[in-house]
Amino acid sequence: MAKGEGAEQYSNASLLNKSVSSDVIKLSRKHEHRTRLSICNKICYAIGGAPYQITGCALGFFLQLYLLDVAQLDPFYASIILFIGRAWDAVTDPTVGFLVSRSPWTRFGRMMPWYAILLSTPFAVMSYFLIWYVPPFEHGKVIWYILFYCVFQTLQTCFHVPYSALTMFITSEQKERDSATAYRMTVEVLGTVLSTAIQGQIVGNAHAPCLPSHNNSDHSLQHTVNKYSLQSQILLLMLQRNAYMIASAVICSMYVLCAIVLFSGVREHAFSEATGIRSKPMPFLKGIKMVMGYGPYAKLVMGFLFTSLAFMLLEGNFALFCSATLGFRKDFHNILLVIMLSATLAIPFWQWFLTRFGKKMAAYVGSLSAVPFMIMVVCVPKNLIVTYIVSFASGVAVAAAFLLPWSMLPDVVDDFQVQNPESAGHEAIFYSFYVFFTKFASGVSLGISTLSLDFAGYITRGCSQPKEVDLTLKLLVSAAPVVLIFIGLGILYTYPITEERRQGNRKILQELR
């Protein structure tokens, strides 16, 4: 009888296990289907990233040139504006990230209300437009540009930080996140193409004449004076200023449209809530210590900090390098457009590459592929066709610089959640601190690079520049970025999250969810 009871219990337990196993499989499939994103969801999510890149590209490529040649500020004051604006932007990122991490869930989610409740978009586009307006007074110009640059960066941070962290809340599946990130990077790079095309073509068609240097002969000077009287030069300068405002108005309308599409087409999911994980609000300093004390995150951020800084130096000085050193004043906007168009076309390739060979390998190959072209652009004699070819090839590396950091950050957040299963809801802090370090370094680099042009003797709207300026620009677009890339890759070599570890984390998190 006992033996029969034991057999019966074993049979019941076996049936129970099969039933539980079957239920788990069904729930897993149901969860997977629920968190799978449609193409429409991915496109709407991706469009939300365009405003940051559209405005950032215009500011990165053209603001330095605008302040020097259109607003006609001294390079020293231009460097102050660029540094303070970027530094302030960097400070706001962890602050907003900390506030977002403490935000309660609403019926719209945790991230979405930051777009709607704070109403950052209309005020952001207004302040962005005023950055490209030359005020009718001289003594307060520097304060004007610092004020509206900082206001715009603050409002844009209220949009971009929660948007960046939104990756963790649209789906719990790593494959779907990677796919959504690829969509996002494609749209963002396409946004830079549109920004470069809009800003470059509108501004390029309203080109103000350069001014002869004092080294030119009297005959050359007289010829220029005859061709462009003082009144004509003022008129052409006003046309160029109007062109910048028209371009900024078009970009502002695109900013608003993208924000509406994002808010209307993307839905957040509280995955940490579904797993039963709760996290208490964390003090700000403790949040900083937690983020920076996590080894994989610190190594990833520091590695990409240097590689991103290399491309930011190139971005911030390349327009000036093309117009002042290479002499392509009427073609530099087309050269920039070729770079961004090439980057857009290369995004699908890099998405395939990281899927096939791993993200760490893609980071190495993508960053190193830019080095030969950075060297060629300063070593090859001035030739427009060669410059276009080099620019197209460089765009392939720019695509990798766009895609890989944002594709690898979710892996670090997942790894942290596996190592700290009792802690959740800190995604915005991870994302905001990455943006903080990148922007702060960018502000320092742009400030130093513009200040170095001042020391080299940069001539505002000069038809030719001193040899010291040419040498400085070559260092800023070639030698310095190459060194930074090798430093960044050296740090990234110690990054511990391999493909095997990433897949293991995915399985563990699926079990938790």
Side-chain angles (χ1 to χ4, degrees):
M1 187 69 180
K3 184 177 180 180
E5 288 178 356
E8 184 179 354
Q9 290 174 1
Y10 176 81
S11 178
N12 291 338
S14 178
L15 290 172
L16 181 62
N17 288 337
K18 290 180 180 179
S19 176
V20 171
S21 177
S22 177
D23 290 341
V24 169
I25 293 173
K26 290 179 181 179
L27 287 172
S28 177
R29 289 176 178 173
K30 182 178 179 181
H31 172 76
E32 182 180 355
H33 177 74
R34 183 171 59 86
T35 58
R36 186 174 297 168
L37 299 174
S38 67
I39 294 178
C40 181
N41 293 144
K42 294 176 183 178
I43 292 175
C44 290
Y45 166 73
I47 288 175
Y52 179 77
Q53 294 299 338
I54 290 173
T55 55
C57 180
L59 291 170
F61 277 133
F62 294 95
L63 184 59
Q64 184 189 53
L65 192 63
Y66 167 81
L67 293 175
L68 293 174
D69 288 356
V70 180
Q72 297 187 332
L73 294 177
D74 184 88
F76 174 75
Y77 293 118
S79 68
I80 291 177
I81 293 169
L82 293 171
F83 171 73
I84 292 179
R86 291 296 183 98
W88 174 257
D89 185 25
V91 170
T92 59
D93 281 296
T95 304
V96 172
F98 174 72
L99 294 174
V100 170
S101 68
R102 297 171 67 94
S103 300
W105 279 92
T106 68
R107 66 189 186 96
F108 297 107
R110 176 186 286 177
M111 305 298 158
M112 286 297 185
W114 282 82
Y115 312 136
I117 295 175
L118 293 184
L119 298 176
S120 61
T121 297
F123 296 104
V125 297
M126 187 184 304
S127 57
Y128 177 80
F129 179 81
L130 292 174
I131 292 174
W132 302 103
Y133 173 74
V134 180
F137 45 81
E138 290 295 328
H139 297 293
K141 273 186 180 180
V142 176
I143 301 299
W144 173 280
Y145 289 116
I146 290 176
L147 173 63
F148 287 107
Y149 195 15
C150 290
V151 169
F152 169 71
Q153 299 287 20
T154 302
L155 294 170
Q156 190 188 50
T157 297
C158 292
F159 182 101
H160 188 251
V161 167
Y163 170 77
S164 299
L166 190 63
T167 310
M168 305 300 298
F169 296 95
I170 56 176
T171 178
S172 61
E173 297 295 323
Q174 283 189 357
K175 186 176 180 180
E176 290 294 297
R177 288 179 192 166
D178 289 343
S179 177
T181 300
Y183 273 80
R184 171 190 167 187
M185 292 301 109
T186 302
V187 172
E188 287 191 3
V189 177
L190 183 61
T192 64
V193 173
L194 292 175
S195 176
T196 306
I198 293 168
Q199 190 90 5
Q201 298 301 320
I202 294 177
V203 171
N205 291 328
H207 186 71
C210 61
L211 300 178
S213 63
H214 297 294
N215 296 330
N216 286 6
S217 62
D218 293 339
H219 179 269
S220 175
L221 178 61
Q222 185 65 38
H223 175 74
T224 304
V225 171
N226 291 337
K227 188 175 181 180
Y228 299 109
S229 64
L230 180 61
Q231 184 177 2
S232 298
Q233 290 187 38
I234 293 175
L235 178 60
L236 289 171
L237 184 61
M238 291 301 297
L239 289 174
Q240 193 174 30
R241 290 177 177 179
N242 290 336
Y244 271 98
M245 287 191 291
I246 292 171
S248 66
V250 175
I251 289 176
C252 286
S253 64
M254 295 174 63
Y255 192 116
V256 174
L257 180 62
C258 292
I260 293 173
V261 171
L262 172 67
F263 189 77
S264 303
V266 178
R267 181 184 177 186
E268 282 186 67
H269 300 281
F271 297 113
S272 61
E273 300 283 337
T275 60
I277 299 174
R278 299 289 191 275
S279 61
K280 297 180 180 179
M282 182 177 295
F284 184 65
L285 294 179
K286 186 177 180 180
I288 296 176
K289 183 178 179 181
M290 175 199 70
V291 168
M292 296 313 302
Y294 190 61
Y297 177 78
K299 292 174 181 177
L300 181 73
V301 168
M302 292 304 296
F304 278 119
L305 172 64
F306 283 97
T307 56
S308 300
L309 188 56
F311 288 100
M312 288 178 185
L313 266 179
L314 181 65
E315 177 191 60
N317 295 281
F318 195 70
L320 203 58
F321 172 75
C322 290
S323 60
T325 301
L326 297 181
F328 303 140
R329 295 180 62 87
K330 296 182 180 180
D331 298 287
F332 76 89
H333 52 281
N334 292 324
I335 295 172
L336 299 179
L337 182 59
V338 168
I339 294 176
M340 293 297 102
L341 184 60
S342 172
T344 304
L345 297 174
I347 286 288
F349 165 76
W350 288 116
Q351 177 63 21
W352 168 83
F353 191 96
L354 67 86
T355 304
R356 178 68 176 81
F357 299 101
K359 299 180 181 181
K360 193 171 179 179
M361 178 61 71
Y364 270 92
V365 175
S367 298
L368 289 175
S369 64
V371 173
F373 303 107
M374 289 179 177
I375 297 173
M376 285 178 61
V377 77
V378 299
C379 294
V380 175
K382 299 178 183 179
N383 186 294
L384 185 59
I385 302 300
V386 173
T387 303
Y388 273 119
I389 295 173
V390 170
S391 299
F392 185 85
S394 299
V396 178
V398 171
F402 268 103
L403 175 64
L404 288 166
W406 298 109
S407 180
M408 296 173 75
L409 271 173
D411 300 337
V412 175
V413 177
D414 284 345
D415 191 76
F416 176 83
Q417 290 180 352
V418 170
Q419 302 296 327
N420 303 271
E422 75 288 348
S423 182
H426 310 308
E427 294 85 357
I429 299 179
F430 279 94
Y431 280 83
S432 62
F433 268 94
Y434 169 73
V435 179
F436 163 75
F437 286 112
T438 304
K439 288 183 177 179
F440 187 81
S442 172
V444 172
S445 67
L446 281 177
I448 292 176
S449 62
T450 309
L451 194 60
S452 64
L453 292 174
D454 184 31
F455 291 147
Y458 178 81
I459 301 172
T460 301
R461 290 177 58 204
C463 293
S464 61
Q465 297 291 341
K467 293 181 179 180
E468 292 80 6
V469 173
D470 291 340
L471 177 61
T472 301
L473 286 170
K474 288 180 179 179
L475 292 174
L476 292 173
V477 302
S478 180
V482 169
V483 172
L484 290 170
I485 285 175
F486 279 106
I487 294 175
L489 293 180
I491 297 174
L492 201 60
Y493 180 78
T494 63
Y495 177 67
I497 300 180
T498 61
E499 289 301 305
E500 292 77 12
R501 179 167 169 177
R502 188 171 72 89
Q503 294 299 329
N505 290 340
R506 182 180 67 86
K507 293 179 181 179
I508 294 173
L509 289 175
Q510 281 181 342
E511 292 176 0
L512 289 174
R513 289 163 181 152

